[in-house]
Amino acid sequence: MAILPIRVYPDPVLRVRCAEVTVFDDDLARFVQDMVETMHAAPGVGLAASQVGVEQRVAVVDLSVGEDPAQLLVLVNPVIESREGSEVEGEGCLSIPDLTEKVQRPFRIEVAAQDVHGASRRFAAEGWTARAICHEVDHLDGVLFVDHLAGLKRERAKRHLKRLVKEQGEHEWHAAAPASSL
Ligand SMILES: [Zn+2]
């Protein structure tokens, strides 16, 4: 297993629409293990493949950050099939260090996804689990949480992103991200 470097804004891979996974082999299984290790080490509660530079529709979510193996979700080719209700909570992203803003997300979603072997399943998720899945599926489409902000929050985020562009141009980012990041 290996910890993979996390890509930080404005890395262009964060804007790519990732491709469907069609090959379910040992390489995919190893990549998923590396993603889980990378997410836990960050620490973060979710990670999408494009955040480690791989343009494939793979994401992992673990609200327990490694404390409870039963909470780990491995999502290959995830699709959000329905959305219900709404909830506003503070959200951050491992690829946008040091920014947390309140984002409106559905309270309950239904998800269809494959596992690492290609088996399909369908399940419902609520609250923070639903939020994390929406955040990661957005990543797979090249969408970042700041894209959902409006008004003053959007202006604040824009200023933050501008700073990141400057910093990324000057040095590699080494700061630790908050534990609620995805
Ligand atoms: Zn993120």
Side-chain angles (χ1 to χ4, degrees):
M1 299 223 289
I3 294 174
L4 308 168
I6 294 177
R7 305 298 186 89
V8 172
Y9 186 94
D11 193 315
V13 76
L14 297 171
R15 289 305 193 183
V16 165
R17 190 182 189 279
C18 298
E20 298 276 321
V21 174
T22 54
V23 179
F24 296 83
D25 59 4
D26 289 349
D27 285 347
L28 177 68
R30 265 193 295 274
F31 175 59
V32 167
Q33 282 188 350
D34 288 347
M35 281 185 68
V36 171
E37 196 181 4
T38 302
M39 167 178 67
H40 288 160
V45 295
L47 189 71
S50 49
Q51 290 183 279
V52 291
V54 175
E55 299 173 16
Q56 298 262 310
R57 301 187 80 78
V58 180
V60 291
V61 168
D62 180 5
L63 295 191
S64 81
V65 200
E67 293 295 311
D68 176 11
Q71 290 195 42
L72 175 66
L73 294 172
V74 174
L75 306 170
V76 180
N77 300 326
V79 176
I80 297 169
E81 298 206 309
S82 71
R83 299 159 193 261
E84 270 175 60
S86 89
E87 196 170 52
V88 177
E89 290 285 352
E91 207 172 300
C93 180
L94 292 171
S95 296
I96 307 177
D98 294 329
L99 182 70
T100 304
E101 289 287 359
K102 292 196 165 180
V103 181
Q104 185 170 0
R105 297 281 190 187
F107 176 72
R108 186 177 190 278
I109 58 173
E110 278 177 352
V111 184
Q114 286 168 281
D115 68 11
V116 77
H117 307 292
S120 298
R121 73 172 182 129
R122 222 176 214 87
F123 62 97
E126 291 185 355
W128 253 98
T129 308
R131 173 172 300 275
I133 293 169
C134 289
H135 182 113
E136 302 314 333
V137 172
D138 271 358
H139 269 304
L140 300 180
D141 291 327
V143 174
L144 301 172
F145 84 98
V146 290
D147 300 336
H148 295 291
L149 302 175
L152 281 177
K153 287 192 284 189
R154 188 174 184 86
E155 292 310 312
R156 200 155 56 211
K158 269 190 190 163
R159 282 199 298 278
H160 187 82
L161 294 178
K162 235 174 158 174
R163 273 200 299 278
L164 281 182
V165 170
K166 195 158 173 277
E167 281 163 7
Q168 289 300 301
E170 286 166 1
H171 61 84
E172 218 183 315
W173 187 270
H174 291 295
S180 63
S181 290
L182 310 136

